Amino acid sequence: MGFIKEFKEFAMKGNVMDMAVGVIIGGAFGKIVTSLVDDVLMPFIGMLTGGIDLSGLEYKMMIPSPDGGEPLAGAVLKYGAFIQNIIDFLIIAFCIFLMVKAMNKLTPKKEEEPAAPAGPTQEELLTEIRDLLKKK
């Protein structure tokens, strides 16, 4: 029974709940940004680049048959999809950067607390201790 109680305490901590909410909202926000990239920005980028679709670029590698017949094996490197994912990532990262920057401007800045007065130096403390020891 201790394990279940310990797990319940862990799951109900504020940090875990905040993280869970952040993950859920982040997933939803990711869908919005992905839609922005795929449905709004990429058509414009496609128009500017003459309709180039990077996701279709690939390189086929084949191992030829020794007798000249059908290839023995092959693999396809889809480097276009990789390039497309890099572009998507950069656009998403830029959108998130702008969102965080806007949120930082909206949150009120905390006033800095005045610095605590400096305490006695190590030398002063040692002198005090020495003087107290001399009195005893």
Side-chain angles (χ1 to χ4, degrees):
M1 190 70 163
F3 178 77
I4 294 173
K5 183 178 177 183
E6 187 178 344
F7 178 74
K8 183 179 176 185
E9 288 175 12
F10 167 76
M12 293 302 164
K13 282 185 182 177
N15 294 342
V16 174
M17 297 304 284
D18 292 343
M19 184 180 68
V21 169
V23 167
I24 292 168
I25 290 175
F29 181 72
K31 288 181 182 180
I32 291 170
V33 174
T34 300
S35 176
L36 172 71
V37 170
D38 292 342
D39 303 328
V40 177
L41 296 177
M42 289 313 288
F44 287 117
I45 293 173
M47 267 184 359
L48 294 174
T49 60
I52 296 173
D53 182 18
L54 296 175
S55 61
L57 299 176
E58 59 185 34
Y59 178 74
K60 294 181 182 178
M61 300 181 300
M62 300 290 176
I63 298 175
S65 173
D67 60 3
E70 287 290 316
L72 297 176
V76 178
L77 292 175
K78 296 183 178 189
Y79 65 93
F82 179 70
I83 293 170
Q84 185 69 43
N85 285 329
I86 290 173
I87 292 170
D88 290 352
F89 169 77
L90 292 174
I91 293 170
I92 290 169
F94 183 69
C95 290
I96 291 173
F97 169 75
L98 292 177
M99 185 78 107
V100 169
K101 191 170 183 169
M103 292 299 291
N104 286 340
K105 284 187 178 183
L106 292 176
T107 55
K109 294 183 180 178
K110 294 180 183 178
E111 293 183 22
E112 292 186 26
E113 295 178 15
T121 64
Q122 187 176 11
E123 190 175 308
E124 291 170 343
L125 290 173
L126 289 173
T127 304
E128 249 183 79
I129 293 170
R130 181 195 66 201
D131 293 344
L132 288 172
L133 288 173
K134 280 183 180 179
K135 288 180 182 178
K136 286 186 177 182

